[in-house]
Amino acid sequence: MLTEQLVITEEISNKISDCLHKYIDSSNARCALLLSDSGQLLFQTGFVSNFDTFNISALIAGVFNSTQALANLVGEKAFSLFIQEGSKLKIHYSVLMKRYIFATLFDDTALLGVIQMSAKETSEELQKILSSLEEKPEELKSIKPTEKALGKLFGR
């Protein structure tokens, strides 16, 4: 699980956002989500009315993580992707770099094969972008907020 603080620069944020928008356009998906393996919603592109994407993200992470435990029980190292199908919506999700989950909500206007192909291409692009987060600049590595510094910041 992602336990350290994640710092996403504006440049990285724009790259991820552009990548997800391109994915939505090419796949005809309704919504694309990028979340941490703990279920924290990092990015959302597209729209699904009447859904709380924060709760959906947390539940996707729970299902995905329990599915990984199932993989171990049946002798697999991991399951790299998962698809759930309902009468109205379908969810496709895959793991990125063991720390992130890329999820897609789509309906019958999108074809599963197109979703899978586009998601694979987008996953590869996202992994390139996300790998740059692993290489923190030296000035970010040295930042260690203390209670005193935070107190000053918030006037306490």
Side-chain angles (χ1 to χ4, degrees):
M1 283 195 337
L2 186 64
T3 55
E4 62 186 46
Q5 186 176 19
L6 183 63
V7 178
I8 300 175
T9 65
E10 184 177 355
E11 177 186 359
I12 297 294
S13 177
N14 289 338
K15 286 181 181 180
I16 292 171
S17 184
D18 291 346
C19 182
L20 293 177
H21 277 94
K22 188 172 88 174
Y23 171 68
I24 290 288
D25 291 342
S26 68
S27 68
N28 205 29
R30 301 260 314 270
C31 183
L33 307 171
L34 181 63
L35 47 138
S36 70
D37 63 349
S38 63
Q40 181 181 9
L41 180 61
L42 302 173
F43 288 88
Q44 174 185 343
T45 301
F47 179 72
V48 181
S49 63
N50 300 323
F51 288 131
D52 179 350
T53 53
F54 291 105
N55 283 332
I56 289 172
S57 296
L59 291 169
I60 285 173
V63 169
F64 195 84
N65 287 315
S66 65
T67 301
Q68 297 311 315
L70 176 61
N72 292 329
L73 287 174
V74 297
E76 291 288 332
K77 188 172 181 177
F79 292 136
S80 60
L81 68 92
F82 194 68
I83 299 169
Q84 293 182 310
E85 187 172 346
S87 62
K88 296 177 186 170
L89 278 178
K90 299 161 187 64
I91 303 174
H92 173 282
Y93 40 104
S94 56
V95 67
L96 304 176
M97 301 168 52
K98 298 182 181 181
R99 296 178 63 163
Y100 307 98
I101 300 170
F102 172 45
T104 306
L105 284 76
F106 62 103
D107 58 20
D108 289 335
T109 62
L111 300 172
L112 178 58
V114 173
I115 293 290
Q116 289 176 305
M117 186 178 71
S118 296
K120 183 176 181 183
E121 293 170 1
T122 302
S123 292
E124 291 169 1
E125 189 175 343
L126 285 170
Q127 287 186 76
K128 288 177 189 172
I129 298 167
L130 292 168
S131 67
S132 67
L133 292 176
E134 305 294 317
E135 304 160 4
K136 290 183 183 175
E138 202 57 42
E139 64 270 13
L140 292 179
K141 289 180 184 176
S142 65
I143 296 174
K144 294 181 181 170
T146 63
E147 190 174 316
K148 186 176 179 180
L150 291 172
K152 283 183 179 180
L153 180 65
F154 294 107
R156 293 184 185 153

